[in-house]
Structures are given as C-alpha cells and as structure tokens.
Amino acid sequence: MFAVVDAGGSTVDSTLYACQATTPQMVLKEVCLSECVQAGGALVDAAARAMLKEKLKDSSFGDDANISAMVDGFESKVKRLFDGTQASNAVQFGGLRDNDKEHNIFKGRISLTAEEVAQTFGEVIAHVVDSILRLISERKVHFLLLVGGFGESPYLKKRLEAIFKPKGTTVITVEQPARKAAAEGATIWYINRTVVARALRYAYGTDVRHVYDPARHASRHHKVIVAADGSMKVPDGFSTWATKGSILNDDYSYIADYNISWPADTQDGAQALGFTTVDVYAWDGDGEPIWLKDEYGNLMPGMRHLCTIYADLSRLSSSLRIIKGENKKKYYKISFSVAIRLGGTQLEARLQWHEGKKLCEGPVAIIPDILNQSQ
C-alpha cells in the first residue's frame, strides 16, 4: 500500500492505493476517499509575508513594496532550498544602499534565522500531516510518494520523514528538478492506466419530486402538490446515485429509473414530449441528502450543478396510452432511465428508453470533477 501526496501551490491532494497484482500487469485500487487540504506552497509565502511585516513594523523597509520584493526573493530561493539546517537565510530584495542593521538588512538583503523560516512552514506542514494521517488512518503504508511543486521542498520532506519513518513509511521524492516533471508525469500516467477502482469525492444524483412521506418530509408539508397520477409529491428532492466515498470499479455501471407524467386532458398529449433533460448535481457531504434545494428554490449548502444530459423522446408519442391513477385521474406517462458508467478515469451518463422492444440511447455526457485528483 502506498500514498501519493500531490503538494501544489494552494492545495495538497493525497490518495491511498493498494497494489492488488503485479503480474501480468500491475493492478491498483484506491483504498478510500482521497484527502484535499488548503495547505500548498502559496500559504507558506503568505505566512512569510505576515512574519516579515511583523518583523519590520518599525523599519523603513516595512512598506508593502519592499515586503512584496522580499516575499518574491523568499519564494524563489529560500523556500525552495531551506531544509532546517541553515542558521542564516539571506533574502535579496533591494540594492547596495538598502541597509538597516537593527533589522539584519545589509546591502539589499535581509537575513532570516532558521526559526523564522521554519515558522512560515509550521502551520502548512501541520495541515499536510493531519491530512495524511486522516487518509492512512491505522493502515500500514509502505511508501509515501511526494510530488508537485511544493513537494520539492527539502524541509517538507524532512518533516514528513520525521513523522512517518517511525511508522515504517518511506518518503520518496524526485530530487533532480530537471528529471522531476518527466518522472512525475510518467508516474501519474502509469497509475491512471493501472487503477481498477476509484473513490468518489462527492455524492452525485439529480432532482426529483419525492412521494410525500410525513415521517421524512413533514417540514415541507406545505409544499405538497397533487401529481398527474393523483399521488402526493413534494418537489426539490434529491435522488442519490452514489454516495461520497463510494469505491467504483473500472467496470462500474448504474441505472436509475424515472418517469414523467401529465394530465390526459392536455390539449396535445404529445406536446410534453421532445427534448427531455436531466440535471446532474454533486453534493459534498456524507450519506444521502433528502433535499436538493431549500424552500426558496436555492441549492442546499454543498450542492453544485455539474452538467445536463438530454435526449429526444418525441418518437414515444405514438405509444402514449391513457392511464387511470388514484381518484380515477387520467394521465399520460413515459419512462426512461439514466445510465451511468465509469469509462477510464471519467464518469459518463446518458438517457436510455425503450421504443417497443428497442433500447434507445441519448448522447453521452461526461460528469466532471467527481473522481479524486489522483486521476
């Protein structure tokens, strides 16, 4: 078992893999939901800016322009080379006449102690470590592959080694910058080709009218409507297709059945047919939410629209039949399905319906931003 930690500019994404086979080819499986934390290299720069402003609050060099120049110098050299052993770290920002002995500024350079530089990394590394610990939990992880721009930091690697080496985990990086991009690219490409199961970062599904259940929907009893078939329905519900953290095999497929009904006294029963659309939503929460929208028609917190799938169902008009429902209400109804499958590293969805015995399908839509960043 090994973890890939992609430490970038603003986020650090971590994914845990289990190796299920090595011959005739390697087969990998995502073990659990990946971790994503706001703890990239840019946050170290922000901490450096705050530290410098405090350090130079009584200096003539504490203005925004000089602080910005110092942060640029810090980012381009000190942050990239610092490993915790350098007692003094010079940041170039000005010219030969820029001096302030009291604040360790000499000839356009400010000298920072190891403690001051380490301070800029402190909170960020703490978040990274907590994220990795949540990911691996009590599992035995043999390797931690550190990639990404911030993953080049010798200090980040050193701190991770101090914490995870005693747990039996080896931290691996590509030391030579010239080889780094090719090595990381090849690694991610290979992982993508060998992963046979992936974890969902979000729950996903669509909007429905729930059949009214007083035990579950009492808070919205005032929103209940009488549907064309005479049943009691409540709008703005959420129909879950898969929950957050679900592990999907590379042959994953799922079919969700739906129907549309409308009163039979409609002047032209076929007018409700034509292009039928289904909106796909993601929810960043656990379990299965009941509602897609609040009582005012706004998306619930954590919900976001991903895409819309559609199909032309007009040819079903010839097969329409009047149906008698509750309270002898007469109505038309058509049935269709949403078919979801995992194709490579992407989830695909399309509408399906039957015209007689013939199975028909609409265009394929790619559901974006669902799978882990390890893709």
Side-chain angles (χ1 to χ4, degrees), residues 227-244:
D229 62 0
S231 63
M232 308 296 284
K233 298 285 185 70
V234 57
D236 297 330
F238 187 73
S239 174
T240 302
W241 296 338
T243 57
K244 178 180 177 180

PDB file of all heavy atoms in Angstrom, residues 227-244:
ATOM      1  N   ALA A 227     -49.840  15.232  -7.984  1.00  0.00           N
ATOM      2  CA  ALA A 227     -49.261  14.927  -9.289  1.00  0.00           C
ATOM      3  C   ALA A 227     -50.339  14.478 -10.258  1.00  0.00           C
ATOM      4  O   ALA A 227     -51.491  14.223  -9.883  1.00  0.00           O
ATOM      5  CB  ALA A 227     -48.186  13.852  -9.152  1.00  0.00           C
ATOM      6  N   ALA A 228     -49.971  14.369 -11.518  1.00  0.00           N
ATOM      7  CA  ALA A 228     -50.923  13.988 -12.561  1.00  0.00           C
ATOM      8  C   ALA A 228     -51.559  12.633 -12.299  1.00  0.00           C
ATOM      9  O   ALA A 228     -52.711  12.388 -12.682  1.00  0.00           O
ATOM     10  CB  ALA A 228     -50.220  13.985 -13.913  1.00  0.00           C
ATOM     11  N   ASP A 229     -50.836  11.740 -11.636  1.00  0.00           N
ATOM     12  CA  ASP A 229     -51.380  10.404 -11.362  1.00  0.00           C
ATOM     13  C   ASP A 229     -52.204  10.363 -10.078  1.00  0.00           C
ATOM     14  O   ASP A 229     -52.649   9.300  -9.653  1.00  0.00           O
ATOM     15  CB  ASP A 229     -50.251   9.371 -11.300  1.00  0.00           C
ATOM     16  CG  ASP A 229     -49.248   9.662 -10.178  1.00  0.00           C
ATOM     17  OD1 ASP A 229     -49.436  10.660  -9.453  1.00  0.00           O
ATOM     18  OD2 ASP A 229     -48.285   8.891 -10.053  1.00  0.00           O
ATOM     19  N   GLY A 230     -52.367  11.530  -9.423  1.00  0.00           N
ATOM     20  CA  GLY A 230     -53.170  11.604  -8.212  1.00  0.00           C
ATOM     21  C   GLY A 230     -52.393  11.421  -6.929  1.00  0.00           C
ATOM     22  O   GLY A 230     -52.939  11.592  -5.836  1.00  0.00           O
ATOM     23  N   SER A 231     -51.101  11.092  -7.016  1.00  0.00           N
ATOM     24  CA  SER A 231     -50.291  10.891  -5.818  1.00  0.00           C
ATOM     25  C   SER A 231     -49.823  12.229  -5.255  1.00  0.00           C
ATOM     26  O   SER A 231     -49.792  13.246  -5.947  1.00  0.00           O
ATOM     27  CB  SER A 231     -49.084  10.001  -6.136  1.00  0.00           C
ATOM     28  OG  SER A 231     -48.236  10.638  -7.081  1.00  0.00           O
ATOM     29  N   MET A 232     -49.450  12.214  -3.974  1.00  0.00           N
ATOM     30  CA  MET A 232     -48.959  13.420  -3.306  1.00  0.00           C
ATOM     31  C   MET A 232     -47.438  13.469  -3.474  1.00  0.00           C
ATOM     32  O   MET A 232     -46.729  12.532  -3.098  1.00  0.00           O
ATOM     33  CB  MET A 232     -49.340  13.391  -1.828  1.00  0.00           C
ATOM     34  CG  MET A 232     -50.821  13.129  -1.571  1.00  0.00           C
ATOM     35  SD  MET A 232     -51.868  14.451  -2.227  1.00  0.00           S
ATOM     36  CE  MET A 232     -51.609  15.713  -0.994  1.00  0.00           C
ATOM     37  N   LYS A 233     -46.937  14.566  -4.017  1.00  0.00           N
ATOM     38  CA  LYS A 233     -45.499  14.713  -4.267  1.00  0.00           C
ATOM     39  C   LYS A 233     -44.998  16.003  -3.626  1.00  0.00           C
ATOM     40  O   LYS A 233     -45.756  16.965  -3.436  1.00  0.00           O
ATOM     41  CB  LYS A 233     -45.213  14.762  -5.770  1.00  0.00           C
ATOM     42  CG  LYS A 233     -45.612  13.511  -6.551  1.00  0.00           C
ATOM     43  CD  LYS A 233     -44.649  12.369  -6.300  1.00  0.00           C
ATOM     44  CE  LYS A 233     -44.972  11.155  -7.184  1.00  0.00           C
ATOM     45  NZ  LYS A 233     -44.683  11.385  -8.601  1.00  0.00           N
ATOM     46  N   VAL A 234     -43.706  16.008  -3.292  1.00  0.00           N
ATOM     47  CA  VAL A 234     -43.067  17.218  -2.780  1.00  0.00           C
ATOM     48  C   VAL A 234     -41.835  17.485  -3.644  1.00  0.00           C
ATOM     49  O   VAL A 234     -41.006  16.597  -3.856  1.00  0.00           O
ATOM     50  CB  VAL A 234     -42.697  17.075  -1.279  1.00  0.00           C
ATOM     51  CG1 VAL A 234     -41.785  15.888  -1.034  1.00  0.00           C
ATOM     52  CG2 VAL A 234     -42.089  18.350  -0.750  1.00  0.00           C
ATOM     53  N   PRO A 235     -41.728  18.701  -4.204  1.00  0.00           N
ATOM     54  CA  PRO A 235     -40.647  18.994  -5.157  1.00  0.00           C
ATOM     55  C   PRO A 235     -39.308  19.276  -4.479  1.00  0.00           C
ATOM     56  O   PRO A 235     -39.213  19.361  -3.254  1.00  0.00           O
ATOM     57  CB  PRO A 235     -41.162  20.244  -5.876  1.00  0.00           C
ATOM     58  CG  PRO A 235     -42.012  20.932  -4.852  1.00  0.00           C
ATOM     59  CD  PRO A 235     -42.667  19.831  -4.058  1.00  0.00           C
ATOM     60  N   ASP A 236     -38.278  19.435  -5.332  1.00  0.00           N
ATOM     61  CA  ASP A 236     -36.922  19.835  -4.926  1.00  0.00           C
ATOM     62  C   ASP A 236     -36.217  18.776  -4.096  1.00  0.00           C
ATOM     63  O   ASP A 236     -35.357  19.073  -3.259  1.00  0.00           O
ATOM     64  CB  ASP A 236     -36.933  21.164  -4.163  1.00  0.00           C
ATOM     65  CG  ASP A 236     -37.435  22.317  -5.022  1.00  0.00           C
ATOM     66  OD1 ASP A 236     -37.231  22.263  -6.248  1.00  0.00           O
ATOM     67  OD2 ASP A 236     -38.033  23.261  -4.471  1.00  0.00           O
ATOM     68  N   GLY A 237     -36.565  17.490  -4.330  1.00  0.00           N
ATOM     69  CA  GLY A 237     -35.862  16.417  -3.653  1.00  0.00           C
ATOM     70  C   GLY A 237     -34.592  16.025  -4.389  1.00  0.00           C
ATOM     71  O   GLY A 237     -34.347  16.448  -5.525  1.00  0.00           O
ATOM     72  N   PHE A 238     -33.767  15.220  -3.735  1.00  0.00           N
ATOM     73  CA  PHE A 238     -32.516  14.754  -4.337  1.00  0.00           C
ATOM     74  C   PHE A 238     -32.549  13.241  -4.441  1.00  0.00           C
ATOM     75  O   PHE A 238     -32.818  12.534  -3.461  1.00  0.00           O
ATOM     76  CB  PHE A 238     -31.319  15.188  -3.493  1.00  0.00           C
ATOM     77  CG  PHE A 238     -29.981  14.900  -4.137  1.00  0.00           C
ATOM     78  CD1 PHE A 238     -29.541  15.647  -5.212  1.00  0.00           C
ATOM     79  CD2 PHE A 238     -29.163  13.878  -3.666  1.00  0.00           C
ATOM     80  CE1 PHE A 238     -28.308  15.397  -5.814  1.00  0.00           C
ATOM     81  CE2 PHE A 238     -27.924  13.622  -4.262  1.00  0.00           C
ATOM     82  CZ  PHE A 238     -27.502  14.382  -5.331  1.00  0.00           C
ATOM     83  N   SER A 239     -32.281  12.729  -5.641  1.00  0.00           N
ATOM     84  CA  SER A 239     -32.198  11.293  -5.892  1.00  0.00           C
ATOM     85  C   SER A 239     -30.724  10.919  -5.994  1.00  0.00           C
ATOM     86  O   SER A 239     -30.037  11.332  -6.931  1.00  0.00           O
ATOM     87  CB  SER A 239     -32.933  10.937  -7.188  1.00  0.00           C
ATOM     88  OG  SER A 239     -32.746   9.581  -7.525  1.00  0.00           O
ATOM     89  N   THR A 240     -30.226  10.169  -5.014  1.00  0.00           N
ATOM     90  CA  THR A 240     -28.800   9.846  -4.943  1.00  0.00           C
ATOM     91  C   THR A 240     -28.475   8.634  -5.803  1.00  0.00           C
ATOM     92  O   THR A 240     -29.114   7.587  -5.684  1.00  0.00           O
ATOM     93  CB  THR A 240     -28.384   9.560  -3.490  1.00  0.00           C
ATOM     94  OG1 THR A 240     -28.691  10.692  -2.683  1.00  0.00           O
ATOM     95  CG2 THR A 240     -26.886   9.276  -3.403  1.00  0.00           C
ATOM     96  N   TRP A 241     -27.456   8.788  -6.659  1.00  0.00           N
ATOM     97  CA  TRP A 241     -26.992   7.679  -7.486  1.00  0.00           C
ATOM     98  C   TRP A 241     -25.820   6.947  -6.836  1.00  0.00           C
ATOM     99  O   TRP A 241     -25.688   5.745  -6.971  1.00  0.00           O
ATOM    100  CB  TRP A 241     -26.580   8.188  -8.865  1.00  0.00           C
ATOM    101  CG  TRP A 241     -27.700   8.772  -9.647  1.00  0.00           C
ATOM    102  CD1 TRP A 241     -29.039   8.520  -9.474  1.00  0.00           C
ATOM    103  CD2 TRP A 241     -27.610   9.720 -10.711  1.00  0.00           C
ATOM    104  NE1 TRP A 241     -29.778   9.249 -10.366  1.00  0.00           N
ATOM    105  CE2 TRP A 241     -28.934   9.989 -11.149  1.00  0.00           C
ATOM    106  CE3 TRP A 241     -26.562  10.359 -11.348  1.00  0.00           C
ATOM    107  CZ2 TRP A 241     -29.209  10.875 -12.175  1.00  0.00           C
ATOM    108  CZ3 TRP A 241     -26.825  11.241 -12.394  1.00  0.00           C
ATOM    109  CH2 TRP A 241     -28.146  11.492 -12.796  1.00  0.00           C
ATOM    110  N   ALA A 242     -24.963   7.682  -6.168  1.00  0.00           N
ATOM    111  CA  ALA A 242     -23.835   7.079  -5.444  1.00  0.00           C
ATOM    112  C   ALA A 242     -23.397   8.063  -4.373  1.00  0.00           C
ATOM    113  O   ALA A 242     -23.449   9.276  -4.576  1.00  0.00           O
ATOM    114  CB  ALA A 242     -22.669   6.752  -6.381  1.00  0.00           C
ATOM    115  N   THR A 243     -22.978   7.554  -3.224  1.00  0.00           N
ATOM    116  CA  THR A 243     -22.618   8.412  -2.106  1.00  0.00           C
ATOM    117  C   THR A 243     -21.125   8.743  -2.107  1.00  0.00           C
ATOM    118  O   THR A 243     -20.311   8.032  -2.706  1.00  0.00           O
ATOM    119  CB  THR A 243     -22.976   7.746  -0.772  1.00  0.00           C
ATOM    120  OG1 THR A 243     -22.321   6.463  -0.695  1.00  0.00           O
ATOM    121  CG2 THR A 243     -24.467   7.557  -0.638  1.00  0.00           C
ATOM    122  N   LYS A 244     -20.791   9.829  -1.446  1.00  0.00           N
ATOM    123  CA  LYS A 244     -19.404  10.254  -1.307  1.00  0.00           C
ATOM    124  C   LYS A 244     -18.583   9.130  -0.670  1.00  0.00           C
ATOM    125  O   LYS A 244     -18.996   8.501   0.294  1.00  0.00           O
ATOM    126  CB  LYS A 244     -19.346  11.511  -0.430  1.00  0.00           C
ATOM    127  CG  LYS A 244     -17.956  12.045  -0.148  1.00  0.00           C
ATOM    128  CD  LYS A 244     -18.069  13.281   0.728  1.00  0.00           C
ATOM    129  CE  LYS A 244     -16.703  13.833   1.101  1.00  0.00           C
ATOM    130  NZ  LYS A 244     -16.815  15.043   1.953  1.00  0.00           N
TER     131      LYS A 244
END
